[in-house]
Amino acid sequence: MRVLGIETSCDETGVAIYDETTGLLANQLYSQVELHADYGGVVPELASRDHVRKLLPLIDAALQEANLTHNDIDAVAYTAGPGLVGALMVGATVGRSLAFAWNVPAVTVHHMEGHLLAPMLEDTPPSFPFVALLVSGGHTQLISVTAIGEYQLLGESIDDAAGEAFDKTAKLLGLDYPGGPRLAKMAATGTVGRFTFPRPMTDRPGLDFSFSGLKTFAANTIRANASDEQTHADIARAFEEAVVDTLLIKCKRALQQTGFKNLVIAGGVSANQNLREKLSAMMTGRGGEVFYARPAFCTDNGAMIAYAGMVRLKAGCTTDTRITVRPRWPLSELTPI
């Protein structure tokens, strides 16, 4: 069985083909970074129009990469939410139309479930149960995962998510969009300990996150100090250390609360090397294991949608001919399988 997956929730157009027997057959991705860079962030209308331009050529490219035709596709999966409504509508309209034209089932996929399951694409996937830290775009969530579709929200960001805080602080430091990866690169040259940032909401019980104040603290620190390159690098390092330590502390609490041994981290921020190293060290000390997707599957991509679509398809989760997207869609509303 082969599933074609389509991802258009924000500013990446992703198309992939997954075979339940042989694994990933094709993975095509187009990033809109250059399109949005002049604006310092994603412009929803421009994102939607670019998905329209790029999606069909990427589908053709994926079929060619896998040496297949549409007759070899058994289902079409597409991201139905959460995300930008216009961008979601592009993928949903094309995906549902192709499924109708090819006379195959269509499967709607939750974007965050796609991220959560991305580590399953690796040679050594995690086993259930595990705690999942999802740090993607506007989401920072800790989730108890006992099976696919059995998700319990343990904690989430009450204001800015970690990724948003990275991007906003990067902008304060004069870095171009996308700011998160650029800030991490700058932080690598920073001096540890020159500046000390707070670890928000770690001095009280609970598993929720708040990074808005950390961004404000960064803004005040930037204003109060010289604007030379090394100072900015030192501030970036202090900021990154604060975010990483906060995520680390909350993950440890979640593992203690659930008693689980395994930790999964997924989403764009999971590619941060400092975060990976500290979580790996923490899990080794606890006698557990941490699982990641490869860097190419941390950001939005079609492979995670194709895989999640395959899992949902095998459980009988198909959709009718209506085209419906959900810009806001709690993960807890998904059907267990």
Side-chain angles (χ1 to χ4, degrees), residues 113-126:
E113 183 174 52
H115 276 301
L116 190 153
L117 297 179
M120 299 293 185
L121 292 163
E122 303 304 323
D123 293 335
T124 306

Side-chain angles (χ1 to χ4, degrees), residues 69-94:
T69 71
H70 72 269
N71 294 316
D72 300 306
I73 301 300
D74 299 297
V76 178
Y78 58 86
T79 302
L84 302 175
V85 63
L88 291 169
M89 281 299 297
V90 176
T93 302
V94 172

Side-chain angles (χ1 to χ4, degrees), residues 1-283:
M1 186 179 295
R2 300 186 186 99
V3 175
L4 184 141
I6 296 172
E7 158 60 29
T8 62
S9 64
C10 190
D11 60 344
E12 274 100 16
T13 312
V15 178
I17 300 172
Y18 187 86
D19 187 291
E20 68 170 327
T21 303
T22 57
L24 191 64
L25 301 180
N27 184 44
Q28 296 286 324
L29 183 68
Y30 174 78
S31 174
Q32 300 178 0
V33 166
E34 292 185 6
L35 175 67
H36 301 289
D38 290 341
Y39 304 94
V42 177
V43 181
E45 178 63 23
L46 294 181
S48 303
R49 293 181 181 184
D50 214 39
H51 287 309
V52 171
R53 286 190 290 265
K54 301 298 183 181
L55 186 51
L56 290 179
L58 284 177
I59 291 171
D60 288 338
L63 289 169
Q64 291 176 13
E65 180 185 349
N67 196 26
L68 301 173
T69 71
H70 72 269
N71 294 316
D72 300 306
I73 301 300
D74 299 297
V76 178
Y78 58 86
T79 302
L84 302 175
V85 63
L88 291 169
M89 281 299 297
V90 176
T93 302
V94 172
R96 192 64 196 81
S97 299
L98 287 179
F100 181 81
W102 296 347
N103 195 30
V104 297
V107 185
T108 56
V109 174
H110 191 291
H111 179 74
M112 298 309 293
E113 183 174 52
H115 276 301
L116 190 153
L117 297 179
M120 299 293 185
L121 292 163
E122 303 304 323
D123 293 335
T124 306
S127 57
F128 300 105
F130 56 78
V131 169
L133 172 64
L134 300 183
V135 274
S136 172
H139 298 83
T140 300
Q141 298 177 323
L142 277 167
I143 297 169
S144 167
V145 182
T146 52
I148 294 176
E150 295 183 9
Y151 310 132
Q152 179 187 357
L153 182 65
L154 302 174
E156 62 183 338
S157 50
I158 61 175
D159 42 50
D160 281 357
E164 291 174 318
F166 262 103
D167 287 340
K168 291 178 180 179
T169 301
K171 193 170 185 178
L172 292 171
L173 289 167
L175 300 176
D176 292 333
Y177 171 85
R182 299 180 192 276
L183 187 149
K185 183 177 181 180
M186 175 183 279
T189 65
T191 304
V192 177
R194 180 181 174 188
F195 297 101
T196 302
F197 279 40
R199 275 60 174 162
M201 294 186 71
T202 59
D203 58 348
R204 68 195 76 174
L207 294 172
D208 285 335
F209 300 91
S210 171
F211 293 106
S212 179
L214 195 61
K215 175 205 63 183
T216 302
F217 192 94
N220 292 336
T221 304
I222 293 167
R223 281 196 294 267
N225 290 275
S227 59
D228 60 278
E229 185 175 340
Q230 187 58 50
T231 297
H232 277 191
D234 296 342
I235 292 172
R237 183 59 180 259
F239 172 83
E240 182 187 60
E241 291 285 341
V243 173
V244 168
D245 285 352
T246 300
L247 295 174
L248 183 79
I249 291 168
K250 298 288 185 169
C251 284
K252 187 175 182 179
R253 285 184 187 176
L255 290 163
Q256 291 171 337
Q257 179 175 312
T258 60
F260 297 165
K261 295 293 185 182
N262 290 336
L263 174 68
V264 164
I265 175 171
V269 181
S270 70
N272 182 280
Q273 194 59 38
N274 191 6
L275 177 61
R276 289 193 174 210
E277 290 174 359
K278 288 197 172 184
L279 285 178
S280 294
M282 185 264 286
M283 293 304 294

